[in-house]
PDB file of all heavy atoms in Angstrom:
ATOM      1  N   ARG F   1     -16.548 -61.346 -20.084  1.00  0.00           N
ATOM      2  CA  ARG F   1     -15.311 -61.415 -20.869  1.00  0.00           C
ATOM      3  C   ARG F   1     -15.240 -60.347 -21.958  1.00  0.00           C
ATOM      4  O   ARG F   1     -14.550 -60.517 -22.967  1.00  0.00           O
ATOM      5  CB  ARG F   1     -15.159 -62.813 -21.499  1.00  0.00           C
ATOM      6  CG  ARG F   1     -15.015 -63.920 -20.475  1.00  0.00           C
ATOM      7  CD  ARG F   1     -14.797 -65.260 -21.143  1.00  0.00           C
ATOM      8  NE  ARG F   1     -14.662 -66.334 -20.165  1.00  0.00           N
ATOM      9  CZ  ARG F   1     -14.497 -67.607 -20.478  1.00  0.00           C
ATOM     10  NH1 ARG F   1     -14.447 -67.974 -21.746  1.00  0.00           N
ATOM     11  NH2 ARG F   1     -14.386 -68.526 -19.542  1.00  0.00           N
ATOM     12  N   MET F   2     -15.954 -59.257 -21.754  1.00  0.00           N
ATOM     13  CA  MET F   2     -15.896 -58.154 -22.709  1.00  0.00           C
ATOM     14  C   MET F   2     -14.586 -57.389 -22.513  1.00  0.00           C
ATOM     15  O   MET F   2     -14.187 -57.093 -21.389  1.00  0.00           O
ATOM     16  CB  MET F   2     -17.081 -57.211 -22.510  1.00  0.00           C
ATOM     17  CG  MET F   2     -18.436 -57.850 -22.777  1.00  0.00           C
ATOM     18  SD  MET F   2     -18.674 -58.248 -24.521  1.00  0.00           S
ATOM     19  CE  MET F   2     -18.807 -56.615 -25.212  1.00  0.00           C
ATOM     20  N   VAL F   3     -13.911 -57.087 -23.612  1.00  0.00           N
ATOM     21  CA  VAL F   3     -12.665 -56.322 -23.579  1.00  0.00           C
ATOM     22  C   VAL F   3     -12.894 -55.037 -24.370  1.00  0.00           C
ATOM     23  O   VAL F   3     -13.219 -55.082 -25.558  1.00  0.00           O
ATOM     24  CB  VAL F   3     -11.487 -57.119 -24.179  1.00  0.00           C
ATOM     25  CG1 VAL F   3     -10.223 -56.293 -24.149  1.00  0.00           C
ATOM     26  CG2 VAL F   3     -11.293 -58.424 -23.419  1.00  0.00           C
ATOM     27  N   GLU F   4     -12.736 -53.888 -23.687  1.00  0.00           N
ATOM     28  CA  GLU F   4     -13.012 -52.611 -24.331  1.00  0.00           C
ATOM     29  C   GLU F   4     -11.884 -51.625 -24.051  1.00  0.00           C
ATOM     30  O   GLU F   4     -11.176 -51.745 -23.048  1.00  0.00           O
ATOM     31  CB  GLU F   4     -14.347 -52.058 -23.836  1.00  0.00           C
ATOM     32  CG  GLU F   4     -15.521 -52.929 -24.269  1.00  0.00           C
ATOM     33  CD  GLU F   4     -16.786 -52.625 -23.489  1.00  0.00           C
ATOM     34  OE1 GLU F   4     -16.850 -52.988 -22.310  1.00  0.00           O
ATOM     35  OE2 GLU F   4     -17.702 -52.030 -24.073  1.00  0.00           O
ATOM     36  N   HIS F   5     -11.754 -50.635 -24.935  1.00  0.00           N
ATOM     37  CA  HIS F   5     -10.713 -49.623 -24.819  1.00  0.00           C
ATOM     38  C   HIS F   5     -11.366 -48.296 -24.417  1.00  0.00           C
ATOM     39  O   HIS F   5     -12.329 -47.856 -25.044  1.00  0.00           O
ATOM     40  CB  HIS F   5      -9.971 -49.448 -26.139  1.00  0.00           C
ATOM     41  CG  HIS F   5      -9.123 -50.627 -26.496  1.00  0.00           C
ATOM     42  ND1 HIS F   5      -7.771 -50.529 -26.755  1.00  0.00           N
ATOM     43  CD2 HIS F   5      -9.421 -51.949 -26.628  1.00  0.00           C
ATOM     44  CE1 HIS F   5      -7.283 -51.727 -27.037  1.00  0.00           C
ATOM     45  NE2 HIS F   5      -8.277 -52.603 -26.974  1.00  0.00           N
ATOM     46  N   LEU F   6     -10.836 -47.677 -23.367  1.00  0.00           N
ATOM     47  CA  LEU F   6     -11.318 -46.378 -22.920  1.00  0.00           C
ATOM     48  C   LEU F   6     -10.182 -45.369 -23.010  1.00  0.00           C
ATOM     49  O   LEU F   6      -9.006 -45.731 -22.882  1.00  0.00           O
ATOM     50  CB  LEU F   6     -11.823 -46.451 -21.474  1.00  0.00           C
ATOM     51  CG  LEU F   6     -13.057 -47.319 -21.197  1.00  0.00           C
ATOM     52  CD1 LEU F   6     -13.397 -47.277 -19.714  1.00  0.00           C
ATOM     53  CD2 LEU F   6     -14.242 -46.864 -22.025  1.00  0.00           C
ATOM     54  N   PRO F   7     -10.517 -44.091 -23.217  1.00  0.00           N
ATOM     55  CA  PRO F   7      -9.458 -43.076 -23.284  1.00  0.00           C
ATOM     56  C   PRO F   7      -8.784 -42.899 -21.927  1.00  0.00           C
ATOM     57  O   PRO F   7      -9.454 -42.856 -20.887  1.00  0.00           O
ATOM     58  CB  PRO F   7     -10.208 -41.813 -23.705  1.00  0.00           C
ATOM     59  CG  PRO F   7     -11.625 -42.046 -23.293  1.00  0.00           C
ATOM     60  CD  PRO F   7     -11.860 -43.522 -23.430  1.00  0.00           C
ATOM     61  N   LEU F   8      -7.480 -42.790 -21.926  1.00  0.00           N
ATOM     62  CA  LEU F   8      -6.720 -42.575 -20.705  1.00  0.00           C
ATOM     63  C   LEU F   8      -6.631 -41.066 -20.482  1.00  0.00           C
ATOM     64  O   LEU F   8      -5.752 -40.389 -21.026  1.00  0.00           O
ATOM     65  CB  LEU F   8      -5.329 -43.196 -20.819  1.00  0.00           C
ATOM     66  CG  LEU F   8      -4.472 -43.250 -19.562  1.00  0.00           C
ATOM     67  CD1 LEU F   8      -5.185 -43.978 -18.437  1.00  0.00           C
ATOM     68  CD2 LEU F   8      -3.148 -43.932 -19.861  1.00  0.00           C
ATOM     69  N   LEU F   9      -7.576 -40.520 -19.719  1.00  0.00           N
ATOM     70  CA  LEU F   9      -7.642 -39.081 -19.493  1.00  0.00           C
ATOM     71  C   LEU F   9      -6.350 -38.574 -18.853  1.00  0.00           C
ATOM     72  O   LEU F   9      -5.661 -39.316 -18.146  1.00  0.00           O
ATOM     73  CB  LEU F   9      -8.849 -38.752 -18.613  1.00  0.00           C
ATOM     74  CG  LEU F   9     -10.209 -39.248 -19.134  1.00  0.00           C
ATOM     75  CD1 LEU F   9     -11.312 -38.882 -18.164  1.00  0.00           C
ATOM     76  CD2 LEU F   9     -10.493 -38.690 -20.512  1.00  0.00           C
ATOM     77  N   SER F  10      -6.057 -37.304 -19.088  1.00  0.00           N
ATOM     78  CA  SER F  10      -4.763 -36.761 -18.663  1.00  0.00           C
ATOM     79  C   SER F  10      -4.554 -36.862 -17.161  1.00  0.00           C
ATOM     80  O   SER F  10      -3.481 -37.291 -16.709  1.00  0.00           O
ATOM     81  CB  SER F  10      -4.643 -35.306 -19.115  1.00  0.00           C
ATOM     82  OG  SER F  10      -5.695 -34.523 -18.566  1.00  0.00           O
ATOM     83  N   ASP F  11      -5.579 -36.474 -16.353  1.00  0.00           N
ATOM     84  CA  ASP F  11      -5.376 -36.532 -14.895  1.00  0.00           C
ATOM     85  C   ASP F  11      -5.285 -37.963 -14.391  1.00  0.00           C
ATOM     86  O   ASP F  11      -4.527 -38.268 -13.473  1.00  0.00           O
ATOM     87  CB  ASP F  11      -6.473 -35.765 -14.165  1.00  0.00           C
ATOM     88  CG  ASP F  11      -7.869 -36.250 -14.513  1.00  0.00           C
ATOM     89  OD1 ASP F  11      -8.012 -36.999 -15.502  1.00  0.00           O
ATOM     90  OD2 ASP F  11      -8.831 -35.878 -13.803  1.00  0.00           O
ATOM     91  N   VAL F  12      -6.037 -38.874 -15.039  1.00  0.00           N
ATOM     92  CA  VAL F  12      -5.957 -40.288 -14.662  1.00  0.00           C
ATOM     93  C   VAL F  12      -4.581 -40.843 -15.022  1.00  0.00           C
ATOM     94  O   VAL F  12      -3.956 -41.557 -14.227  1.00  0.00           O
ATOM     95  CB  VAL F  12      -7.069 -41.104 -15.361  1.00  0.00           C
ATOM     96  CG1 VAL F  12      -6.942 -42.578 -15.007  1.00  0.00           C
ATOM     97  CG2 VAL F  12      -8.444 -40.585 -14.960  1.00  0.00           C
ATOM     98  N   GLY F  13      -4.110 -40.504 -16.221  1.00  0.00           N
ATOM     99  CA  GLY F  13      -2.793 -40.977 -16.648  1.00  0.00           C
ATOM    100  C   GLY F  13      -1.675 -40.463 -15.759  1.00  0.00           C
ATOM    101  O   GLY F  13      -0.742 -41.204 -15.423  1.00  0.00           O
ATOM    102  N   GLU F  14      -1.755 -39.187 -15.367  1.00  0.00           N
ATOM    103  CA  GLU F  14      -0.737 -38.618 -14.481  1.00  0.00           C
ATOM    104  C   GLU F  14      -0.726 -39.326 -13.132  1.00  0.00           C
ATOM    105  O   GLU F  14       0.345 -39.606 -12.570  1.00  0.00           O
ATOM    106  CB  GLU F  14      -0.992 -37.130 -14.302  1.00  0.00           C
ATOM    107  CG  GLU F  14      -0.694 -36.300 -15.538  1.00  0.00           C
ATOM    108  CD  GLU F  14      -1.067 -34.842 -15.349  1.00  0.00           C
ATOM    109  OE1 GLU F  14      -1.468 -34.488 -14.211  1.00  0.00           O
ATOM    110  OE2 GLU F  14      -0.974 -34.065 -16.316  1.00  0.00           O
ATOM    111  N   ALA F  15      -1.922 -39.615 -12.605  1.00  0.00           N
ATOM    112  CA  ALA F  15      -2.008 -40.299 -11.306  1.00  0.00           C
ATOM    113  C   ALA F  15      -1.447 -41.714 -11.399  1.00  0.00           C
ATOM    114  O   ALA F  15      -0.720 -42.169 -10.503  1.00  0.00           O
ATOM    115  CB  ALA F  15      -3.453 -40.327 -10.822  1.00  0.00           C
ATOM    116  N   LEU F  16      -1.760 -42.422 -12.478  1.00  0.00           N
ATOM    117  CA  LEU F  16      -1.246 -43.777 -12.669  1.00  0.00           C
ATOM    118  C   LEU F  16       0.272 -43.765 -12.838  1.00  0.00           C
ATOM    119  O   LEU F  16       0.981 -44.590 -12.240  1.00  0.00           O
ATOM    120  CB  LEU F  16      -1.905 -44.424 -13.881  1.00  0.00           C
ATOM    121  CG  LEU F  16      -3.343 -44.910 -13.708  1.00  0.00           C
ATOM    122  CD1 LEU F  16      -3.946 -45.275 -15.061  1.00  0.00           C
ATOM    123  CD2 LEU F  16      -3.405 -46.099 -12.770  1.00  0.00           C
ATOM    124  N   ALA F  17       0.769 -42.833 -13.637  1.00  0.00           N
ATOM    125  CA  ALA F  17       2.218 -42.758 -13.863  1.00  0.00           C
ATOM    126  C   ALA F  17       2.953 -42.425 -12.567  1.00  0.00           C
ATOM    127  O   ALA F  17       4.013 -43.005 -12.272  1.00  0.00           O
ATOM    128  CB  ALA F  17       2.522 -41.705 -14.928  1.00  0.00           C
ATOM    129  N   GLY F  18       2.392 -41.516 -11.772  1.00  0.00           N
ATOM    130  CA  GLY F  18       3.017 -41.168 -10.501  1.00  0.00           C
ATOM    131  C   GLY F  18       3.057 -42.346  -9.547  1.00  0.00           C
ATOM    132  O   GLY F  18       4.067 -42.576  -8.867  1.00  0.00           O
ATOM    133  N   TYR F  19       1.967 -43.111  -9.523  1.00  0.00           N
ATOM    134  CA  TYR F  19       1.934 -44.291  -8.644  1.00  0.00           C
ATOM    135  C   TYR F  19       2.936 -45.343  -9.101  1.00  0.00           C
ATOM    136  O   TYR F  19       3.701 -45.892  -8.288  1.00  0.00           O
ATOM    137  CB  TYR F  19       0.514 -44.864  -8.635  1.00  0.00           C
ATOM    138  CG  TYR F  19       0.424 -46.291  -8.149  1.00  0.00           C
ATOM    139  CD1 TYR F  19       0.757 -46.630  -6.836  1.00  0.00           C
ATOM    140  CD2 TYR F  19       0.012 -47.308  -9.005  1.00  0.00           C
ATOM    141  CE1 TYR F  19       0.683 -47.939  -6.392  1.00  0.00           C
ATOM    142  CE2 TYR F  19      -0.073 -48.618  -8.567  1.00  0.00           C
ATOM    143  CZ  TYR F  19       0.267 -48.929  -7.266  1.00  0.00           C
ATOM    144  OH  TYR F  19       0.195 -50.230  -6.833  1.00  0.00           O
ATOM    145  N   LEU F  20       2.964 -45.635 -10.389  1.00  0.00           N
ATOM    146  CA  LEU F  20       3.868 -46.670 -10.902  1.00  0.00           C
ATOM    147  C   LEU F  20       5.332 -46.272 -10.734  1.00  0.00           C
ATOM    148  O   LEU F  20       6.193 -47.111 -10.467  1.00  0.00           O
ATOM    149  CB  LEU F  20       3.563 -46.931 -12.377  1.00  0.00           C
ATOM    150  CG  LEU F  20       2.192 -47.534 -12.695  1.00  0.00           C
ATOM    151  CD1 LEU F  20       1.990 -47.614 -14.202  1.00  0.00           C
ATOM    152  CD2 LEU F  20       2.040 -48.904 -12.071  1.00  0.00           C
ATOM    153  N   ARG F  21       5.611 -44.977 -10.876  1.00  0.00           N
ATOM    154  CA  ARG F  21       6.996 -44.516 -10.826  1.00  0.00           C
ATOM    155  C   ARG F  21       7.497 -44.347  -9.389  1.00  0.00           C
ATOM    156  O   ARG F  21       8.649 -44.674  -9.083  1.00  0.00           O
ATOM    157  CB  ARG F  21       7.108 -43.191 -11.578  1.00  0.00           C
ATOM    158  CG  ARG F  21       8.524 -42.670 -11.732  1.00  0.00           C
ATOM    159  CD  ARG F  21       8.581 -41.447 -12.624  1.00  0.00           C
ATOM    160  NE  ARG F  21       7.685 -40.392 -12.164  1.00  0.00           N
ATOM    161  CZ  ARG F  21       6.605 -39.992 -12.815  1.00  0.00           C
ATOM    162  NH1 ARG F  21       6.274 -40.549 -13.962  1.00  0.00           N
ATOM    163  NH2 ARG F  21       5.835 -39.028 -12.337  1.00  0.00           N
ATOM    164  N   GLU F  22       6.648 -43.868  -8.496  1.00  0.00           N
ATOM    165  CA  GLU F  22       7.102 -43.473  -7.165  1.00  0.00           C
ATOM    166  C   GLU F  22       6.706 -44.424  -6.043  1.00  0.00           C
ATOM    167  O   GLU F  22       7.393 -44.504  -5.025  1.00  0.00           O
ATOM    168  CB  GLU F  22       6.562 -42.066  -6.830  1.00  0.00           C
ATOM    169  CG  GLU F  22       6.879 -40.994  -7.855  1.00  0.00           C
ATOM    170  CD  GLU F  22       8.355 -40.677  -7.938  1.00  0.00           C
ATOM    171  OE1 GLU F  22       9.081 -41.007  -6.969  1.00  0.00           O
ATOM    172  OE2 GLU F  22       8.793 -40.105  -8.956  1.00  0.00           O
ATOM    173  N   ALA F  23       5.596 -45.130  -6.193  1.00  0.00           N
ATOM    174  CA  ALA F  23       5.040 -45.817  -5.024  1.00  0.00           C
ATOM    175  C   ALA F  23       4.857 -47.313  -5.195  1.00  0.00           C
ATOM    176  O   ALA F  23       4.457 -47.990  -4.248  1.00  0.00           O
ATOM    177  CB  ALA F  23       3.679 -45.190  -4.660  1.00  0.00           C
ATOM    178  N   ARG F  24       5.148 -47.858  -6.376  1.00  0.00           N
ATOM    179  CA  ARG F  24       4.889 -49.281  -6.612  1.00  0.00           C
ATOM    180  C   ARG F  24       6.201 -50.029  -6.743  1.00  0.00           C
ATOM    181  O   ARG F  24       7.044 -49.672  -7.559  1.00  0.00           O
ATOM    182  CB  ARG F  24       4.050 -49.453  -7.875  1.00  0.00           C
ATOM    183  CG  ARG F  24       3.630 -50.897  -8.162  1.00  0.00           C
ATOM    184  CD  ARG F  24       2.923 -50.958  -9.504  1.00  0.00           C
ATOM    185  NE  ARG F  24       2.479 -52.305  -9.819  1.00  0.00           N
ATOM    186  CZ  ARG F  24       3.249 -53.246 -10.336  1.00  0.00           C
ATOM    187  NH1 ARG F  24       4.521 -52.979 -10.599  1.00  0.00           N
ATOM    188  NH2 ARG F  24       2.763 -54.445 -10.600  1.00  0.00           N
ATOM    189  N   ALA F  25       6.358 -51.090  -5.950  1.00  0.00           N
ATOM    190  CA  ALA F  25       7.550 -51.946  -6.027  1.00  0.00           C
ATOM    191  C   ALA F  25       7.103 -53.391  -5.931  1.00  0.00           C
ATOM    192  O   ALA F  25       6.874 -53.920  -4.844  1.00  0.00           O
ATOM    193  CB  ALA F  25       8.527 -51.610  -4.908  1.00  0.00           C
ATOM    194  N   SER F  26       6.924 -54.032  -7.076  1.00  0.00           N
ATOM    195  CA  SER F  26       6.419 -55.403  -7.089  1.00  0.00           C
ATOM    196  C   SER F  26       6.720 -56.039  -8.438  1.00  0.00           C
ATOM    197  O   SER F  26       6.770 -55.362  -9.474  1.00  0.00           O
ATOM    198  CB  SER F  26       4.906 -55.425  -6.825  1.00  0.00           C
ATOM    199  OG  SER F  26       4.378 -56.712  -7.007  1.00  0.00           O
ATOM    200  N   ALA F  27       6.906 -57.361  -8.430  1.00  0.00           N
ATOM    201  CA  ALA F  27       7.105 -58.107  -9.671  1.00  0.00           C
ATOM    202  C   ALA F  27       5.783 -58.539 -10.281  1.00  0.00           C
ATOM    203  O   ALA F  27       5.750 -59.106 -11.373  1.00  0.00           O
ATOM    204  CB  ALA F  27       7.971 -59.339  -9.397  1.00  0.00           C
ATOM    205  N   SER F  28       4.676 -58.264  -9.578  1.00  0.00           N
ATOM    206  CA  SER F  28       3.357 -58.642 -10.071  1.00  0.00           C
ATOM    207  C   SER F  28       3.009 -57.855 -11.329  1.00  0.00           C
ATOM    208  O   SER F  28       3.412 -56.702 -11.502  1.00  0.00           O
ATOM    209  CB  SER F  28       2.302 -58.388  -8.984  1.00  0.00           C
ATOM    210  OG  SER F  28       0.986 -58.573  -9.494  1.00  0.00           O
ATOM    211  N   ARG F  29       2.226 -58.469 -12.227  1.00  0.00           N
ATOM    212  CA  ARG F  29       1.763 -57.782 -13.419  1.00  0.00           C
ATOM    213  C   ARG F  29       0.523 -56.950 -13.144  1.00  0.00           C
ATOM    214  O   ARG F  29       0.110 -56.150 -13.988  1.00  0.00           O
ATOM    215  CB  ARG F  29       1.458 -58.802 -14.532  1.00  0.00           C
ATOM    216  CG  ARG F  29       2.664 -59.560 -15.039  1.00  0.00           C
ATOM    217  CD  ARG F  29       3.681 -58.638 -15.660  1.00  0.00           C
ATOM    218  NE  ARG F  29       3.142 -57.940 -16.835  1.00  0.00           N
ATOM    219  CZ  ARG F  29       3.780 -56.959 -17.469  1.00  0.00           C
ATOM    220  NH1 ARG F  29       4.947 -56.531 -17.019  1.00  0.00           N
ATOM    221  NH2 ARG F  29       3.252 -56.386 -18.535  1.00  0.00           N
ATOM    222  N   ARG F  30      -0.089 -57.136 -11.989  1.00  0.00           N
ATOM    223  CA  ARG F  30      -1.244 -56.320 -11.625  1.00  0.00           C
ATOM    224  C   ARG F  30      -0.809 -54.874 -11.411  1.00  0.00           C
ATOM    225  O   ARG F  30       0.258 -54.618 -10.856  1.00  0.00           O
ATOM    226  CB  ARG F  30      -1.890 -56.855 -10.363  1.00  0.00           C
ATOM    227  CG  ARG F  30      -2.598 -58.196 -10.526  1.00  0.00           C
ATOM    228  CD  ARG F  30      -3.895 -58.032 -11.288  1.00  0.00           C
ATOM    229  NE  ARG F  30      -4.582 -59.301 -11.427  1.00  0.00           N
ATOM    230  CZ  ARG F  30      -5.437 -59.775 -10.524  1.00  0.00           C
ATOM    231  NH1 ARG F  30      -5.659 -59.100  -9.403  1.00  0.00           N
ATOM    232  NH2 ARG F  30      -6.044 -60.928 -10.730  1.00  0.00           N
ATOM    233  N   VAL F  31      -1.651 -53.938 -11.808  1.00  0.00           N
ATOM    234  CA  VAL F  31      -1.319 -52.525 -11.623  1.00  0.00           C
ATOM    235  C   VAL F  31      -1.337 -52.164 -10.149  1.00  0.00           C
ATOM    236  O   VAL F  31      -0.389 -51.566  -9.621  1.00  0.00           O
ATOM    237  CB  VAL F  31      -2.299 -51.630 -12.412  1.00  0.00           C
ATOM    238  CG1 VAL F  31      -2.073 -50.160 -12.062  1.00  0.00           C
ATOM    239  CG2 VAL F  31      -2.142 -51.843 -13.915  1.00  0.00           C
ATOM    240  N   PHE F  32      -2.407 -52.521  -9.457  1.00  0.00           N
ATOM    241  CA  PHE F  32      -2.550 -52.144  -8.058  1.00  0.00           C
ATOM    242  C   PHE F  32      -2.226 -53.341  -7.164  1.00  0.00           C
ATOM    243  O   PHE F  32      -2.845 -54.409  -7.283  1.00  0.00           O
ATOM    244  CB  PHE F  32      -3.968 -51.636  -7.787  1.00  0.00           C
ATOM    245  CG  PHE F  32      -4.285 -50.388  -8.567  1.00  0.00           C
ATOM    246  CD1 PHE F  32      -5.130 -50.444  -9.666  1.00  0.00           C
ATOM    247  CD2 PHE F  32      -3.714 -49.177  -8.228  1.00  0.00           C
ATOM    248  CE1 PHE F  32      -5.413 -49.299 -10.400  1.00  0.00           C
ATOM    249  CE2 PHE F  32      -3.981 -48.027  -8.956  1.00  0.00           C
ATOM    250  CZ  PHE F  32      -4.833 -48.094 -10.049  1.00  0.00           C
ATOM    251  N   VAL F  33      -1.252 -53.135  -6.289  1.00  0.00           N
ATOM    252  CA  VAL F  33      -0.762 -54.223  -5.447  1.00  0.00           C
ATOM    253  C   VAL F  33      -0.857 -53.827  -3.976  1.00  0.00           C
ATOM    254  O   VAL F  33      -1.063 -52.654  -3.630  1.00  0.00           O
ATOM    255  CB  VAL F  33       0.703 -54.586  -5.793  1.00  0.00           C
ATOM    256  CG1 VAL F  33       0.812 -55.071  -7.220  1.00  0.00           C
ATOM    257  CG2 VAL F  33       1.624 -53.379  -5.582  1.00  0.00           C
ATOM    258  N   ARG F  34      -0.691 -54.824  -3.121  1.00  0.00           N
ATOM    259  CA  ARG F  34      -0.680 -54.599  -1.687  1.00  0.00           C
ATOM    260  C   ARG F  34       0.506 -53.739  -1.277  1.00  0.00           C
ATOM    261  O   ARG F  34       1.550 -53.759  -1.921  1.00  0.00           O
ATOM    262  CB  ARG F  34      -0.606 -55.942  -0.947  1.00  0.00           C
ATOM    263  CG  ARG F  34      -1.862 -56.782  -1.007  1.00  0.00           C
ATOM    264  CD  ARG F  34      -1.567 -58.218  -0.615  1.00  0.00           C
ATOM    265  NE  ARG F  34      -0.683 -58.298   0.539  1.00  0.00           N
ATOM    266  CZ  ARG F  34      -1.090 -58.481   1.797  1.00  0.00           C
ATOM    267  NH1 ARG F  34      -2.367 -58.594   2.060  1.00  0.00           N
ATOM    268  NH2 ARG F  34      -0.216 -58.571   2.776  1.00  0.00           N
ATOM    269  N   LEU F  35       0.330 -53.014  -0.184  1.00  0.00           N
ATOM    270  CA  LEU F  35       1.421 -52.190   0.333  1.00  0.00           C
ATOM    271  C   LEU F  35       2.381 -52.998   1.187  1.00  0.00           C
ATOM    272  O   LEU F  35       3.545 -52.644   1.326  1.00  0.00           O
ATOM    273  CB  LEU F  35       0.847 -51.029   1.153  1.00  0.00           C
ATOM    274  CG  LEU F  35      -0.017 -50.038   0.363  1.00  0.00           C
ATOM    275  CD1 LEU F  35      -0.664 -49.045   1.309  1.00  0.00           C
ATOM    276  CD2 LEU F  35       0.795 -49.315  -0.689  1.00  0.00           C
ATOM    277  N   LEU F  36       1.878 -54.090   1.789  1.00  0.00           N
ATOM    278  CA  LEU F  36       2.704 -54.951   2.621  1.00  0.00           C
ATOM    279  C   LEU F  36       2.932 -56.275   1.913  1.00  0.00           C
ATOM    280  O   LEU F  36       2.136 -56.701   1.077  1.00  0.00           O
ATOM    281  CB  LEU F  36       2.021 -55.191   3.974  1.00  0.00           C
ATOM    282  CG  LEU F  36       1.726 -53.938   4.812  1.00  0.00           C
ATOM    283  CD1 LEU F  36       0.969 -54.318   6.081  1.00  0.00           C
ATOM    284  CD2 LEU F  36       3.004 -53.194   5.155  1.00  0.00           C
ATOM    285  N   ALA F  37       4.037 -56.932   2.260  1.00  0.00           N
ATOM    286  CA  ALA F  37       4.346 -58.236   1.651  1.00  0.00           C
ATOM    287  C   ALA F  37       3.293 -59.262   2.053  1.00  0.00           C
ATOM    288  O   ALA F  37       2.770 -59.222   3.174  1.00  0.00           O
ATOM    289  CB  ALA F  37       5.727 -58.686   2.103  1.00  0.00           C
ATOM    290  N   PRO F  38       2.967 -60.171   1.138  1.00  0.00           N
ATOM    291  CA  PRO F  38       3.476 -60.248  -0.230  1.00  0.00           C
ATOM    292  C   PRO F  38       2.864 -59.177  -1.126  1.00  0.00           C
ATOM    293  O   PRO F  38       1.654 -58.977  -1.104  1.00  0.00           O
ATOM    294  CB  PRO F  38       3.056 -61.650  -0.685  1.00  0.00           C
ATOM    295  CG  PRO F  38       1.817 -61.943   0.109  1.00  0.00           C
ATOM    296  CD  PRO F  38       2.029 -61.277   1.433  1.00  0.00           C
ATOM    297  N   ARG F  39       3.689 -58.502  -1.896  1.00  0.00           N
ATOM    298  CA  ARG F  39       3.224 -57.404  -2.747  1.00  0.00           C
ATOM    299  C   ARG F  39       2.612 -57.971  -4.032  1.00  0.00           C
ATOM    300  O   ARG F  39       3.206 -57.890  -5.111  1.00  0.00           O
ATOM    301  CB  ARG F  39       4.366 -56.449  -3.041  1.00  0.00           C
ATOM    302  CG  ARG F  39       4.882 -55.715  -1.802  1.00  0.00           C
ATOM    303  CD  ARG F  39       6.011 -54.774  -2.160  1.00  0.00           C
ATOM    304  NE  ARG F  39       6.569 -54.130  -0.989  1.00  0.00           N
ATOM    305  CZ  ARG F  39       6.136 -53.001  -0.455  1.00  0.00           C
ATOM    306  NH1 ARG F  39       5.113 -52.382  -1.018  1.00  0.00           N
ATOM    307  NH2 ARG F  39       6.711 -52.469   0.610  1.00  0.00           N
ATOM    308  N   VAL F  40       1.460 -58.539  -3.856  1.00  0.00           N
ATOM    309  CA  VAL F  40       0.734 -59.123  -4.979  1.00  0.00           C
ATOM    310  C   VAL F  40      -0.489 -58.245  -5.263  1.00  0.00           C
ATOM    311  O   VAL F  40      -0.769 -57.282  -4.549  1.00  0.00           O
ATOM    312  CB  VAL F  40       0.299 -60.564  -4.657  1.00  0.00           C
ATOM    313  CG1 VAL F  40       1.510 -61.459  -4.505  1.00  0.00           C
ATOM    314  CG2 VAL F  40      -0.557 -60.610  -3.389  1.00  0.00           C
TER     315      VAL F  40
END
């Protein structure tokens, strides 16, 4: 149950932003979801 903060490196941030903006369509709060339904 350790909660820690790590720096969001530029290339990692760009990859995450690109995925969230272009390739992710889900109501789930999880960042990474299934590609097929149910998109959890």
Side-chain angles (χ1 to χ4, degrees):
R1 296 183 180 178
M2 296 292 291
V3 179
E4 294 164 288
H5 291 236
L6 295 179
L8 189 56
L9 304 179
S10 59
D11 56 346
V12 178
E14 289 175 5
L16 284 169
Y19 161 64
L20 295 175
R21 186 173 55 248
E22 306 293 341
R24 184 186 181 278
S26 172
S28 172
R29 295 298 298 172
R30 290 287 181 88
V31 172
F32 297 106
V33 298
R34 289 163 43 98
L35 297 173
L36 301 176
R39 294 180 184 272
V40 294

